Amino acid sequence: MSNSENLLEVVGLKKYFKTPKGMLHAVDDVSFTIGKGKTLGVVGESGCGKSTTGRAILRLLEPTGGKVLFEGEDVARLNTNALRKKRKEMQIIFQDPFSSLNPRKTISQTIEEPLVLHGMIPDKKKRQQRVAELMDTVGLARRLYNTYPHELDGGRRQRVGIARALAVDPKFIVCDEPVSALDVSIQAQILNLMKNLQKEFGLTYLFITHDLSVVYHFSDDIAVMYLGKLIEKASADDLFAAPKHPYTKALLSAIPVPSLHDRGERIIMKGEITSPINPKPACRFEGRCPSAMDCCRAAEPKLVEVAPGHATACFLHSDARQGE
């Protein structure tokens, strides 16, 4: 994919947090690209750095290092005023639709707020009309215009969050586990809405989730994270058909299968989780990997392409030994 086709390019992104025991490597040298109008799903267990990656890209958390190139411009280098303008094009949908909404604002005020902050529609009547149009777009009845978040169910609250993100006509949206707090029946409605909005407005998504069955149907490409590192990246079909990394294989084996007979072999991960604080130069999955070798304890494998469009960071694949 050429650079002109990429909306976002993340290069060597790092985010470390200072702790009493040392530096916690929440995101460590993560690189990927997302094509215009495409969705990159980011998966991994809790604490792997998925949400921190999304927030560092938007500079809701200041990156420790690396580049975030949005249409070729490094977001990490922008000053306050330039970043404020750029934020119109880069938005986020938060995980918990209740805690991300101001309980003292009506939903119309919540959706209107970014328009006011960015001075986009000075005329109040036109702003209110825009809010009503956004409510129509995300499937919120206009009778809810003056209601408060506590009066709505989870699905409607998340629709408010989506409308707020859409208000400033963004090109790129970080979706931080946008359906994990919702009932299963509501999840499908919200995911279908987001897919339709992507087609209608040409949106580009970074879709963060721990639900592999959801990410498969929603994403064009999938990136797997483990303890701050990107360990595998491929198209959704390739990743599910032929996973390369032992961690990815274990994750896929845990997906529930609606069958009493064909359950497949469940891979149980044993051993100690490596500490993300001042980690040694070794594979971070080594302590839980059933295929760990001496080289895994001595060096950190690099993320390299082991099949067309399919990259992994594992010494089981000879190309990854470039990292030694």
Side-chain angles (χ1 to χ4, degrees):
M1 185 179 287
S2 66
N3 287 336
S4 62
E5 294 174 313
N6 291 332
L7 183 76
L8 185 78
E9 184 177 359
V10 176
V11 183
L13 183 66
K14 297 179 182 180
K15 179 58 186 176
Y16 300 163
F17 294 96
K18 192 173 183 179
T19 73
K21 294 184 178 180
M23 297 301 291
L24 188 152
H25 292 219
V27 179
D28 206 353
D29 198 22
V30 166
S31 300
F32 56 78
T33 60
I34 310 178
K36 293 177 181 176
K38 300 295 184 181
T39 299
L40 174 66
V42 181
V43 298
E45 57 196 310
S46 296
C48 72
K50 307 184 299 292
S51 295
T52 304
T53 298
R55 290 167 189 244
I57 287 170
L58 298 179
R59 278 182 64 185
L60 296 178
L61 294 171
E62 284 295 330
T64 303
K67 295 180 180 180
V68 178
L69 302 174
F70 184 82
E71 296 184 318
E73 186 175 20
D74 191 356
V75 175
R77 301 284 184 271
L78 296 178
N79 61 32
T80 303
N81 288 334
L83 179 62
R84 188 186 185 93
K85 292 177 182 177
K86 185 60 68 177
R87 285 238 167 94
K88 285 196 294 184
E89 300 176 35
M90 307 171 71
Q91 288 290 303
I92 184 169
I93 300 169
F94 293 98
Q95 176 179 357
D96 186 347
F98 190 65
S99 64
S100 66
L101 301 178
N102 187 335
R104 299 189 179 193
K105 289 183 182 288
T106 64
I107 67 168
S108 60
Q109 290 171 332
T110 296
I111 298 170
E112 183 185 21
E113 188 174 27
L115 296 171
V116 175
L117 286 173
H118 290 286
M120 292 183 67
I121 306 177
D123 185 82
K124 187 172 182 178
K125 284 189 177 180
K126 289 183 179 178
R127 269 203 318 272
Q128 291 173 340
Q129 181 59 35
R130 172 65 173 153
V131 169
E133 290 170 358
L134 285 163
M135 289 177 65
D136 292 343
T137 299
V138 300
L140 283 168
R142 293 198 181 188
R143 63 182 171 78
L144 302 173
Y145 191 89
N146 290 314
T147 56
Y148 288 87
H150 72 272
E151 300 178 83
L152 305 178
D153 60 28
R156 288 192 178 94
R157 287 182 202 137
Q158 196 59 292
R159 289 174 190 265
V160 175
I162 294 170
R164 177 176 59 185
L166 290 175
V168 290
D169 296 322
K171 298 177 181 178
F172 172 66
I173 300 179
V174 172
C175 311
D176 187 6
E177 302 207 37
V179 296
S180 64
L182 306 177
D183 291 341
V184 174
S185 59
I186 305 299
Q187 286 184 13
Q189 294 177 20
I190 297 300
L191 290 171
N192 288 334
L193 169 65
M194 291 172 64
K195 265 295 185 187
N196 292 335
L197 292 172
Q198 184 175 37
K199 291 177 184 176
E200 184 176 352
F201 300 110
L203 297 170
T204 302
Y205 290 145
L206 178 71
F207 187 78
I208 297 165
T209 183
H210 61 268
D211 191 330
L212 280 156
S213 54
V214 165
V215 81
Y216 174 69
H217 294 289
F218 195 80
S219 305
D220 298 291
D221 298 306
I222 298 175
V224 182
M225 287 189 70
Y226 184 79
L227 285 184
K229 303 290 290 188
L230 202 62
I231 60 168
E232 188 160 4
K233 183 178 181 294
S235 70
D237 288 335
D238 285 351
L239 190 89
F240 272 69
K244 306 295 184 186
H245 198 284
Y247 176 67
T248 307
K249 293 176 182 178
L251 283 182
L252 294 179
S253 78
I255 298 175
V257 178
S259 170
L260 293 174
H261 308 290
D262 185 20
R263 294 186 175 219
E265 182 184 354
R266 175 72 190 274
I267 300 172
I268 306 296
M269 290 184 287
K270 301 178 181 178
E272 290 293 323
I273 298 176
T274 303
S275 172
I277 298 175
N278 297 333
K280 296 181 290 185
C283 175
R284 295 187 189 177
F285 188 58
E286 171 268 322
R288 302 170 77 189
C289 182
S291 305
M293 302 174 287
D294 289 340
C295 59
C296 304
R297 303 176 186 94
E300 191 173 301
K302 297 291 185 183
L303 186 74
V304 295
E305 194 170 70
V306 295
H310 197 141
T312 191
C314 179
F315 287 132
L316 291 173
H317 303 275
S318 58
D319 290 342
R321 294 180 184 272
Q322 296 171 14
E324 290 188 89

